[in-house]
Amino acid sequence: VGGAQTICSTGTAVMSATVSGGTTTGTWTTTGSGTFTPNATTLNSTYTPSVADATTGTVTLTLTSTGNPAACAAVAKTVAVTISKVAVVTVGGAQTICSTGTAVMSATVSGGTTTGTWTGGSGTFTPSATTLNATYTPSAADASTGVVTLTLTSTANAAPCAAVDKTVVVTVSKVAVVTVGGAQTICSTGTAVMSAT
C-alpha cells in the first residue's frame, strides 16, 4: 500500500495498492466511518472521510488480502490518513447604510483556522482588516458606486486545505447635501430671495 497521507476534510485519500503472490484481491477497512469509492474491494479506490473522521483528525485504512490459498493466512497492510479541517466562514447578511455611516461586520471563522482578512471596496476597516467583527467606513467612491462587496477570506488554513471566503453586499445610500446662500439684510417692505440646492 502507499505511504501515509494528509488530506483536507473536503478531499479524498487516493489509494495506491497491489496484492500479488498467492492472490490478487483484497478488502479495505477503516477505523473511521468514511466511504470507499467505487467500493472497499477495489484496490486503488478513494476514501472520502466522514464528518466524524474530520473531527477525530486521523484514520487508519487497512487492506487485507482475500482469496488466500489454503493454509496461508491473510496479510494486511495499513495506511495512516491525517485529515485537516477545512475552514468554516460565516458572515452576516446584506446591509444598507448611509454614506456617513458604517457597516458593522458580524463574522466567525472556525474549523481548521480562526483567522481571516476582509477585502473589497475602497473604504477602511476599523480597527483593521484582520478583525473579524470590524466596522467598514465607506469611501466617497463607494457612495458614488452605491454598492460594495466585502469578502472575508480565511487565513492560516490547515494544509492542504484551500482558503474559504464569504461575501457581504453593502448598499451605500448617499446622504443629502444641502446648500443655501449667505446672510441677507432686507428692508421690511422687501423680500429675501433664497438661493438653495
Side-chain angles (χ1 to χ4, degrees), residues 2 6 14 26 59 62 159 161 175 178:
T6 299
V14 180
V59 294
T62 303
C161 295
V175 69
V178 179

Side-chain angles (χ1 to χ4, degrees), residues 61-160:
L61 308 181
T62 303
L63 178 61
T64 304
S65 63
T66 56
N68 302 283
C72 291
V75 176
K77 289 290 177 68
T78 62
V79 177
V81 179
T82 301
I83 303 161
S84 300
K85 288 183 180 179
V86 69
V88 178
V89 179
T90 62
V91 294
Q95 299 184 43
T96 298
I97 63 172
C98 185
S99 57
T100 56
T102 58
V104 180
M105 302 295 102
S106 176
T108 61
V109 178
S110 58
T113 183
T114 57
T115 58
T117 299
W118 286 102
T119 56
S122 57
T124 56
F125 292 94
T126 304
S128 71
T130 57
T131 301
L132 299 186
N133 295 322
T135 58
Y136 180 78
T137 303
S139 66
D142 293 341
S144 295
T145 303
V147 65
V148 61
T149 300
L150 306 180
T151 303
L152 178 61
T153 304
S154 63
T155 56
N157 300 280

